[in-house]
Amino acid sequence: MKLDELKAIREKAADKIAKRNADASQSEWKIVVSMGTSGILYGARDILKKILEEVESLELNVLVTQSGSFGLDDIEPVCAIYHNDEKIVYGKLKPEMIRELLETQIVNGNILTSYRVAVPGDIGNKPASE
Amino acid sequence: MYELSLFVLDLVQNSITADAEIIKIWLFEFESENLVTITVADNGKGMSKEVMGKAVDPFMTSKTERKKKIGLGLPFFKQLIESCEGKFRIKSKLGIGTVVTGSFPYSNVDQPPVGNLEETILSLVIANPGIDFRYTRRNDKKEKIFDTRPVRKMLGSDAEIMWQSSELMEWFRNELIES
Ligand SMILES: Nc1ncnc2c1ncn2[C@@H]1O[C@H](COP(=O)(O)OP(=O)(O)O)[C@@H](O)[C@H]1O
Ligand SMILES: [Mg+2]
């Protein structure tokens, strides 16, 4: 492994992170992809990959991570987007819809209602819409 | 799900859910010995004999208990391995960790394709900034090892916050896929 390259990377990344942290308008977002067996069966691996790619290409300040099953097997693949104390769940995801989802939800701060799933615990607190 | 790499992802998610701090993945493909072995090992919370019995055979019943399904990932993997004349093994100890292994003949006709294992591991590494991964792929001719621990050591206390920076992701990609 080319560990010596990491020094330069560290400096560059530290610079960017310091700038980003100084910008108060950049708030905390987190995306969690449900990666249980059924999620994987319905394509959650490609959804996670696409989210990572689009977050990078849109230069968003978002932590992207994965978890075990959300228990929403009939609408996999599923992800939850967290912003401060809010949680919004999106289901039946396809790689083609990820960019629109990130632009609408994170860049513009609007809920993309067409893909949104109201589940207990998300900000709508409505029963599951299935 | 007919790709070994998707099963690896499923096994690794079990390790993540079990709060593993380090997850090790080995893929050995030895034509000379007619053997393929895939192993996922973690230092997560492990499981009791009882849970393990149920996990491997989810429809196991006792007289007093109704059928209880606790998950299909492990039975699914076991079935895949056994369907290609292979051997499934699992070892676990509470508080120590878990090792899951599948091995099968190299030349089996029913053998699943490995699929995009390096891409899968790349996403796992990036999406889990707090977990260390060690990945080894070996065949008769060569060996490839990827380990996040020296990276974390090199980056020090800033490792987690810069884990998903484009610079570091690019480096991970080069190490895992382009090399
Ligand atoms: N690596 C592991 N460490 C600890 N416990 C595990 C591990 N893998 C599986 N288990 C236990 O076995 C159960 C069944 O696993 P699995 O068949 O993958 O189904 P699921 O992940 O959907 O529960 C898990 O719920 C967990 O209790
Ligand atoms: Mg599982």
Side-chain angles (χ1 to χ4, degrees), chain A residues 72-93:
Chain A
L72 299 171
D73 287 12
D74 46 353
I75 51 159
E76 296 280 7
V78 189
C79 77
I81 302 186
Y82 293 85
H83 183 225
N84 303 323
D85 294 329
E86 295 177 349
K87 172 186 176 186
I88 303 136
V89 177
Y90 291 99
K92 293 193 175 168
L93 298 169

Side-chain angles (χ1 to χ4, degrees), chain A residues 1-3 5 9-10 16-17 35 37 40-41 45 49 52 56 62-68, chain B residues 1 3 5-6 10 13 73 119-120 124 126-128 147 154-155 161-162 164 166-167 169 171 175:
Chain A
M1 301 207 297
K2 295 184 198 133
L3 291 170
E5 291 176 4
I9 289 173
R10 181 187 176 158
K16 276 211 315 210
I17 289 161
M35 201 60 80
T37 307
I40 294 172
L41 271 170
R45 176 178 66 177
K49 183 169 177 253
L52 285 167
E56 188 177 3
V62 179
L63 174 68
V64 182
T65 188
Q66 64 187 81
S67 81
Chain B
M1 188 145 105
E3 233 184 60
S5 59
L6 287 172
D10 194 40
Q13 182 58 56
E119 276 283 357
T120 304
L124 276 167
I126 294 171
N128 295 283
D147 194 333
M154 195 84 174
L155 298 175
I161 51 165
M162 61 177 63
Q164 292 186 356
S166 50
E167 289 83 3
M169 291 196 292
W171 187 86
E175 287 289 327

